């Protein structure tokens, strides 16, 4: 077993245990491996271990890796497809939107009406659609991206109206657990779950089923609060070295 396979196996067991504790089916929880800062060689090892998609934080890094490993633009991951799906999970500026239109299968960090409209126009030109989640700033921290909770429904309505965008869920990054405690983090995740119920009730909102929440340090709490997608980086790929430029 490769190092990655072993870590994926261990993580899957922890996800299954958290799901069992919450009385949930672990099949309903997707593990999104977050490969940011890690070199393409590590991603190849992950592909060999059966991974079919990667989450990346920076659009340029996503594009560079996708150009090298190939990109499956299909809306649903097909496990027989050799090219991985690429999922943008970090902030996306409008001038980088074309990179996601070229290589991304999914964007989890949609957080403004202008970005939604820009993407819709570029996707229309490319003749394709994109799965999106709205990122919500549930912690209220200035440094965090995402729309304010009270603006989520308004943005959801606008996204639903864009024919090239397919709204599949909501995403959040909670505050650090050591700052707000488990209870504070659980409340942020629960708030996202409540907002999803509201979006599901909108006309055209019925596909907004996913809750992307939980990372290496807090995914068990997120699963307890209803997460359907945990974004896991360091627990799968090891610690990140931000000083080092990713090598390919
Ligand atoms: C880096 C990142 C993750 C993964 O973080 P880990 O703590 O390494 O699991 C998840 N979500 C987002 C938005 C990230 O940028």
């Amino acid at each position: 077993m490769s190092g990655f396979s072993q870590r994926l196996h261990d993580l899957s067991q922890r996800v299954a245990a958290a799901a069992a504790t919450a009385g949930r089916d672990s099949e309903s929880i997707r593990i999104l491996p977050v490969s940011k800062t890690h070199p393409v060689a590590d991603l190849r090892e992950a592909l060999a271990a059966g991974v079919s998609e990667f989450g990346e934080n920076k659009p340029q890094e996503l594009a560079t890796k996708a150009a090298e490993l190939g990109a499956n633009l299909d809306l649903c991951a097909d496990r027989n497809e050799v090219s991985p799906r690429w999922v943008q999970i970090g902030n996306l500026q409008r001038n980088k939107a074309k990179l996601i239109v070229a290589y991304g299968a999914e964007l989890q960090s949609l957080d403004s009406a202008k970005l939604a409209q820009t993407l819709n126009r570029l996707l229309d030109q490319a003749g394709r659609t994109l799965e999106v989640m709205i990122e919500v700033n549930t912690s209220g921290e200035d440094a965090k991206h995402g729309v304010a909770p009270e603006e989520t429904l308004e943005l959801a309505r606008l996204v639903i109206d864009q024919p090239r965008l397919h709204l599949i869920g909501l995403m959040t990054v909670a505050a650090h657990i050591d700052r707000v405690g488990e209870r504070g983090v659980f409340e942020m995740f629960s708030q996202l779950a409540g907002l999803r119920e509201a979006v599901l009730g909108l006309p055209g909102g019925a596909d907004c089923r996913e809750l992307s929440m939980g990372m290496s340090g807090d995914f068990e709490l997120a699963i307890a609060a209803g997460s359907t997608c945990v974004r896991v980086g360091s627990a799968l790929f090891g610690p990140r070295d931000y000083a080092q430029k990713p090598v390919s």
Side-chain angles (χ1 to χ4, degrees):
M1 226 189 228
S2 71
F4 187 92
S5 296
Q6 183 64 54
R7 290 189 295 272
L8 182 60
H9 175 80
D10 294 348
L11 176 69
S12 302
Q13 293 209 320
R14 286 174 65 196
V15 166
T21 304
R24 300 183 54 206
D25 179 0
S26 63
E27 294 284 307
S28 67
I29 301 157
R30 162 187 171 202
I31 295 174
L32 175 62
V34 176
S35 49
K36 67 186 185 203
T37 77
H38 292 284
V40 163
D42 292 5
L43 279 67
R44 287 193 203 280
E45 189 185 341
L47 286 170
V51 156
S52 60
E53 57 180 358
F54 294 109
E56 284 285 339
N57 200 267
K58 295 203 165 76
Q60 187 60 62
E61 186 174 341
L62 182 153
T64 305
K65 287 174 172 172
E68 189 160 345
L69 291 176
N72 176 5
L73 300 182
D74 276 357
L75 299 183
C76 299
D78 173 355
R79 298 202 165 263
N80 298 318
E81 170 78 51
V82 273
S83 303
R85 293 174 88 244
W86 296 92
V87 183
Q88 171 69 18
I89 59 173
N91 184 246
L92 178 63
Q93 288 178 333
R94 273 187 293 152
N95 61 4
K96 301 275 169 58
K98 57 181 180 303
L99 294 173
I100 301 310
V101 171
Y103 296 108
E106 179 179 334
L107 168 70
Q108 294 198 349
S109 50
L110 183 58
D111 65 355
S112 80
K114 281 188 163 164
L115 177 60
Q117 287 159 335
T118 300
L119 282 166
N120 190 69
R121 181 170 47 76
L122 294 171
L123 287 161
D124 200 53
Q125 286 165 8
R128 58 169 298 224
T129 53
L130 181 70
E131 291 191 330
V132 296
M133 297 194 198
I134 292 175
E135 180 175 0
V136 183
N137 183 353
T138 54
S139 73
E141 293 168 304
D142 288 345
K144 290 251 164 51
H145 295 287
V147 283
E150 57 275 17
E151 288 162 10
T152 305
L153 278 186
E154 191 187 332
L155 181 57
R157 281 193 200 93
L158 183 134
V159 172
I160 289 167
D161 279 344
Q162 310 299 311
R164 296 289 180 173
L165 298 180
H166 183 200
L167 181 62
I168 60 161
L170 302 180
M171 183 271 249
T172 199
V173 179
H176 271 292
I177 215 160
D178 46 13
R179 191 134 34 84
V180 293
E182 292 203 354
R183 184 139 174 239
V185 169
F186 186 79
E187 276 173 7
M188 290 169 203
F189 291 148
S190 300
Q191 181 179 30
L192 197 74
L195 286 168
R196 177 187 60 176
E197 293 313 306
V199 177
L200 280 170
L202 292 175
D207 289 343
C208 186
R209 290 188 212 99
E210 284 222 49
L211 286 174
S212 175
M213 50 192 202
M215 319 195 336
S216 295
D218 59 14
F219 70 83
E220 274 124 338
L221 279 172
I223 288 170
S227 174
T228 66
C229 175
V230 292
R231 309 178 306 271
V232 180
S234 42
L236 280 177
F237 289 97
R240 284 181 292 274
D241 181 359
Y242 285 99
Q244 187 104 23
K245 281 201 73 166
V247 271
S248 44

